């Protein structure tokens, strides 16, 4: 059985045994696979999935589109002859097989980003390493560049999931900045504070963290200069 790796933080990527998966040549196929993989805790009625992706088509047309898409996915993923397929499809339901040989960046990101992940240990150093792993996994916005314009419900799902991951990343970066300052690594703390500001330029907590990291690192002039930059930014944009 091949190993499937799905990367959804940033542009969609799928690989089988380390090689790009072939046949996933439409946004609808990628959208269907991504949805089932992320929402894998339960199975879904075929009608629900069909109406999610093809809401403007008749029930029969949407059902046929889903059947065709599932057939294409089975072929692309090598499910037809697999003992443990990635997708489990019945006449009425469809779900992603959590027991299959797969890796999902979203799952690993959530595990690494958790403030107290199950089974975690090793102290502050291990915590910092987990948080850095989460930051590295976040290559960009969730399903960046993918669009299902005919399905407002799917677009809304992508938007909400994307906001959830974005907030998680900011929380990780904030904790990481604090941990690095506590460890005396003021240069690293400043780096992660700047990363927060790349994502949200008006994040006051990140501005404060950056100024503090610079000051603690002996860069008093840089801290004062950033204070002035922050003051002008907030005054100009937010009054």
């Amino acid at each position: 059985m091949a190993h499937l790796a799905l990367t959804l933080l940033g542009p969609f990527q799928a690989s089988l045994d380390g090689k790009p998966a072939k046949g996933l040549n439409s946004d609808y196929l990628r959208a269907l696979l991504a949805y089932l993989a992320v929402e894998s805790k339960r199975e879904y009625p075929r009608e629900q999935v069909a109406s999610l992706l093809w809401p403007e088509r008749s029930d029969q047309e949407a059902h046929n589109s889903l059947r065709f898409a599932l057939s294409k996915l089975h072929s692309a993923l090598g499910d037809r002859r697999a003992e443990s397929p990635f997708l489990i499809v019945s006449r009425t339901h469809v779900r992603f097989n959590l027991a299959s040989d797969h890796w999902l960046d979203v799952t690993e990101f959530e595990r690494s980003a958790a403030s107290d992940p199950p089974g975690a240990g090793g102290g502050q150093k291990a915590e910092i390493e987990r948080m850095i792993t989460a930051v590295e996994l976040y290559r960009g916005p969730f399903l960046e560049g993918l669009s299902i314009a005919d399905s407002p419900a799917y677009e809304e799902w992508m938007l909400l999931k994307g906001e959830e991951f974005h907030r998680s990343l900011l929380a990780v970066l904030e904790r990481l900045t604090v941990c690095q300052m506590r460890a005396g690594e003021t240069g690293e703390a400043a780096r992660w504070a700047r990363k927060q500001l790349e994502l949200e330029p008006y994040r006051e907590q990140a501005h404060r963290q950056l100024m503090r990291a610079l000051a603690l690192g002996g860069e008093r002039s840089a801290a004062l200069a950033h204070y002035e930059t922050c003051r002008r930014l907030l005054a100009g944009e937010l009054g």
Side-chain angles (χ1 to χ4, degrees):
M1 180 64 189
H3 173 75
L4 172 66
L6 287 176
T7 303
L8 308 180
L9 293 170
F12 177 98
Q13 292 181 3
S15 64
L16 289 169
D17 289 337
K19 298 179 181 179
K22 298 179 180 179
L24 301 176
N25 52 4
S26 83
D27 274 353
Y28 281 93
L29 292 179
R30 293 188 283 266
L32 176 57
L33 180 57
Y35 181 80
L36 294 175
V38 173
E39 304 291 347
S40 57
K41 293 182 180 179
R42 65 183 182 90
E43 62 180 4
Y44 293 88
R46 292 174 69 126
E47 291 78 7
Q48 179 179 335
V49 178
S51 63
L52 173 68
L53 286 169
W54 296 279
E56 296 186 355
R57 301 184 183 182
S58 68
D59 291 347
Q60 186 60 49
E61 288 175 333
H63 178 78
N64 290 340
S65 295
L66 175 62
R67 182 174 58 188
F68 177 76
L70 289 171
S71 177
K72 295 281 286 185
L73 284 179
H74 274 312
S75 297
L77 300 176
D79 269 356
R80 298 190 185 283
R81 296 178 299 277
E83 293 183 4
S84 182
F86 299 110
L87 299 180
I88 298 178
V89 180
S90 71
R91 293 183 60 186
T92 58
H93 289 77
V94 58
R95 67 181 176 90
F96 189 86
N97 184 10
L98 287 174
S100 63
D101 183 9
H102 73 280
W103 178 89
L104 181 63
D105 67 335
V106 167
T107 301
E108 185 63 23
F109 171 79
E110 291 178 324
R111 188 194 69 80
S112 299
S115 57
D116 188 18
Q124 181 171 277
K125 182 179 179 181
E127 182 183 4
I128 288 174
E129 290 175 353
R130 284 195 302 272
M131 289 189 287
I132 291 175
T133 295
V135 174
E136 291 174 343
L137 283 167
Y138 194 96
R139 298 178 307 115
F142 180 60
L143 291 176
E144 184 177 12
L146 188 146
S147 177
I148 305 296
D150 294 336
S151 175
Y154 192 92
E155 293 281 339
E156 181 181 11
W157 174 79
M158 280 201 304
L159 177 64
L160 292 175
K161 296 300 294 187
E163 289 178 348
E164 176 185 326
F165 298 134
H166 180 79
R167 288 194 302 270
S168 293
L169 176 63
L170 286 171
V172 167
L173 287 167
E174 184 173 327
R175 296 203 320 270
L176 186 52
T177 305
V178 170
C179 284
Q180 294 285 27
M181 269 196 279
R182 287 175 179 169
E185 299 290 343
T186 55
E188 285 297 288
R191 173 191 173 193
W192 300 123
R194 287 190 176 99
K195 181 68 175 177
Q196 293 179 63
L197 294 174
E198 288 177 13
L199 296 166
E200 283 196 6
Y202 308 119
R203 189 174 175 84
E204 287 191 63
Q205 175 66 11
H207 284 290
R208 290 195 294 271
Q209 286 184 323
L210 177 54
M211 286 183 275
R212 181 170 174 77
L214 291 171
L216 290 175
E219 300 181 67
R220 185 171 182 274
S221 295
L224 289 171
H226 187 77
Y227 167 79
E228 184 58 28
T229 298
C230 176
R231 186 194 66 78
R232 288 197 305 267
L233 177 70
L234 297 179
E237 296 296 329
L238 304 178

